[in-house]
């Protein structure tokens, strides 16, 4: 039997899956703390520069009481870029982690990669908290990001693979919701723990708890179903009387005419989602008001987005495609309005409130992108497709820490970048086919069948697709 029939036989979301999914989604709290760490520990307080009359050297005096890597290593003036650099190194690690851990988990299994990556991330997290110099701190952020990116991808794939297709949207949404809760909890934690080393130590210690929970989790062999013998049909296996055809691979994302254009659109959508999402979140400490409240609010504001996602993506008049494109365009419009409102207006309609609205909208779009992408790729190439899109996403994350610093050019520059990214990605997203209430493709041949929608359908693409199929028969 095929995998969907097997899930219907043994249970799509039974006791085994519930325990496994719970353990995986709770790890998002720890991953959120690591992602947002530099927002609080890299805070730049008010300072003045004293220039002695009898010497060329200047002295920096911090006039605001704060304990951060900026005050410890005096990362101001020409050294200020190092704060953003530390954030970018973390996201660079995420990119490399996606590239390395994705194929590795396919070869040796998801669970050993997940547990090893989580353990190493905890170890490198403690190196961050005890770093004797900025160089060690920056290197540890790169390594933490490497592990974070690896286990993040494996976590998402596992929460999809453990359950039936009808639960994919729910498990994907749970990942995003718990990540948002983790951001809010980190903001609250930073309010009570001000020394940056102590904050980094406590935030990292939650990883120890989740690691032990994952190790000690009892993995049930079955869900209480009486089915004792199941024989699964290999994905992409040739059916009786049908020719044998090639399976999936990263190269097929370039060679296959439908997948090539689809992947190009998805890569840009993921890049834009990441740039706007992390750009707004990492800039929370720079907006007016308490930085701790701002970080918490930028996390909590995501929570209403996920019930909205569940509702809209399952409506026939909205679906995945229109919902994702609409949320991206609304995020861009909110950022556009932010450029037209003066800062510190003291009214409900302020730059901060519009930025929070933009964060809500892009969070909804980001969540849909995860679920939507899983459904757009056939089973034989789904991991490769998700991996490539995730790499593009990390490029946006690498650039995101530097976007808030563009305020030095003009106060509205960051929101202009977010506006253009959101609007352009939303328009491109409309080129993708709808997947609501359609069975997931398992092979490349199923993807190319006439009954399935395709991106940028035209006579030329139809001809190229037929030529591809004839070459791979």
């Amino acid at each position: 039997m095929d995998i969907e029939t097997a899930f219907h036989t043994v249970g799509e979301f039974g006791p085994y899956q519930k325990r496994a999914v719970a353990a995986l989604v709770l790890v998002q709290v720890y991953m959120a703390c690591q992602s947002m760490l530099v927002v609080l520990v890299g805070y730049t307080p008010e300072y003045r520069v004293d220039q002695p009359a009898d010497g060329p050297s200047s002295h920096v005096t911090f006039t605001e009481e704060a304990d951060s890597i900026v005050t410890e290593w005096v990362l101001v003036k020409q050294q200020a870029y190092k704060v953003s650099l530390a954030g970018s190194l973390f996201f660079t690690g995420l990119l490399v982690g996606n590239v390395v851990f994705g194929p590795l988990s396919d070869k040796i299994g998801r669970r050993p990669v997940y547990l090893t990556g989580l353990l190493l991330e905890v170890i490198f997290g403690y190196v961050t908290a005890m770093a004797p110099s900025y160089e060690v701190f920056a290197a540890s952020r790169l390594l933490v990001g490497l592990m974070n990116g690896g286990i993040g991808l494996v976590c998402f794939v596992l929460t999809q693979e453990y359950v039936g297709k009808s639960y994919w949207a729910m498990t994907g949404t749970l990942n995003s919701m718990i990540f948002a809760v983790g951001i809010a909890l980190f903001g609250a934690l930073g309010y009570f723990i001000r020394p940056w080393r102590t904050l980094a130590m406590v935030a990292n210690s939650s990883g120890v708890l989740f690691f032990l929970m994952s190790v000690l989790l009892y993995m049930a062999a079955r869900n209480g179903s009486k089915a004792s013998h199941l024989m699964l049909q290999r994905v992409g296996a040739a059916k009786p009387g049908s020719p044998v055809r090639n399976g999936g691979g990263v190269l097929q994302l370039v060679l296959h005419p439908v997948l090539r254009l689809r992947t190009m659109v998805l890569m840009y959508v993921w890049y834009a989602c990441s740039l706007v999402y992390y750009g707004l979140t990492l800039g929370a400490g720079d907006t007016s008001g308490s930085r701790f409240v701002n970080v918490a609010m930028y996390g909590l504001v995501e929570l209403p987005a996920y019930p909205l996602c569940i509702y809209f993506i399952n409506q026939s008049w909205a679906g995945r495609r229109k919902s994702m494109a609409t949320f991206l365009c609304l995020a861009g419009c909110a950022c556009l309005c932010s450029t037209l409102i003066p800062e510190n207006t003291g009214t409900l309609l302020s730059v901060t409130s519009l930025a929070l609205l933009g964060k809500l909208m892009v969070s909804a779009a980001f969540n849909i992108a995860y679920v939507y992408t899983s459904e757009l790729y056939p089973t034989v190439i789904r991991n490769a497709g998700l991996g490539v899109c995730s790499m593009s996403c990390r490029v946006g994350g690498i650039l995101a820490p530097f976007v808030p610093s563009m305020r030095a050019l003009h106060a509205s520059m960051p929101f202009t970048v977010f506006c253009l990214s959101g609007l352009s990605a939303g328009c491109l997203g409309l080129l993708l086919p709808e997947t609501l209430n359609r069975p997931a493709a398992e092979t490349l041949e199923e993807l190319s069948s006439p009954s399935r929608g395709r991106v940028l359908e035209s006579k030329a693409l139809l001809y190229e697709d037929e030529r591809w199929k004839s070459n791979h028969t």
Side-chain angles (χ1 to χ4, degrees), residues 348-399:
L348 182 62
L349 188 63
S350 62
V351 173
T352 301
S353 61
L354 287 171
L356 287 171
L357 178 62
K359 177 68 184 300
L360 176 113
M361 295 302 159
V362 77
S363 299
F366 213 165
N367 182 63
I368 296 173
Y370 271 95
V371 177
Y372 192 23
T373 303
S374 296
E375 297 175 345
L376 282 170
Y377 284 109
T379 304
V380 295
I381 205 167
R382 184 168 296 129
N383 278 350
L386 281 170
V388 169
C389 290
S390 187
M391 287 172 57
S392 178
C393 167
R394 301 315 172 193
V395 173
I398 292 171
L399 298 177

Side-chain angles (χ1 to χ4, degrees), residues 245-386:
R245 289 172 179 158
N246 292 333
V250 176
L251 189 60
Q252 294 295 347
L253 297 177
V254 179
L255 298 178
H256 195 285
V258 175
L259 286 176
R260 179 170 62 247
L261 294 173
R262 189 172 293 184
T263 301
M264 289 171 62
V265 172
L266 285 172
M267 285 178 67
Y268 184 75
V269 168
W270 279 60
Y271 160 81
C273 284
S274 178
L275 180 70
V276 179
Y277 178 93
Y278 287 109
L280 289 173
T281 306
L282 295 174
D286 297 331
T287 55
S288 58
S290 169
R291 62 185 183 278
F292 308 107
V293 174
N294 288 340
V295 170
M297 286 298 298
Y298 272 80
L300 293 175
V301 77
E302 294 185 39
L303 296 181
Y306 303 121
L308 289 175
C309 289
I310 294 296
Y311 175 76
F312 282 111
I313 66 177
N314 291 308
Q315 302 300 312
S316 59
W317 49 268
R320 273 69 159 154
R321 180 175 66 97
K322 293 179 182 177
S323 297
M324 184 185 73
T326 301
F327 281 124
L328 276 170
C329 288
L330 288 175
C333 290
C335 292
L336 174 62
C337 293
S338 298
T339 64
L340 307 176
I341 302 294
E343 292 193 33
N344 302 319
T345 58
T347 62
L348 182 62
L349 188 63
S350 62
V351 173
T352 301
S353 61
L354 287 171
L356 287 171
L357 178 62
K359 177 68 184 300
L360 176 113
M361 295 302 159
V362 77
S363 299
F366 213 165
N367 182 63
I368 296 173
Y370 271 95
V371 177
Y372 192 23
T373 303
S374 296
E375 297 175 345
L376 282 170
Y377 284 109
T379 304
V380 295
I381 205 167
R382 184 168 296 129
N383 278 350
L386 281 170

Side-chain angles (χ1 to χ4, degrees), residues 376-448:
L376 282 170
Y377 284 109
T379 304
V380 295
I381 205 167
R382 184 168 296 129
N383 278 350
L386 281 170
V388 169
C389 290
S390 187
M391 287 172 57
S392 178
C393 167
R394 301 315 172 193
V395 173
I398 292 171
L399 298 177
F402 290 100
V403 177
S405 62
M406 295 174 70
R407 291 173 181 270
L409 301 176
H410 193 276
S412 64
M413 187 62 71
F415 288 109
T416 302
V417 173
F418 300 146
C419 166
L420 295 176
S421 300
L423 291 176
S424 58
C427 293
L428 282 176
L430 291 172
L431 298 174
L432 297 169
E434 183 54 65
T435 59
L436 178 63
N437 297 327
R438 297 185 182 182
E442 292 189 357
T443 65
L444 299 179
E445 289 71 28
E446 290 180 32
L447 179 71
S448 303

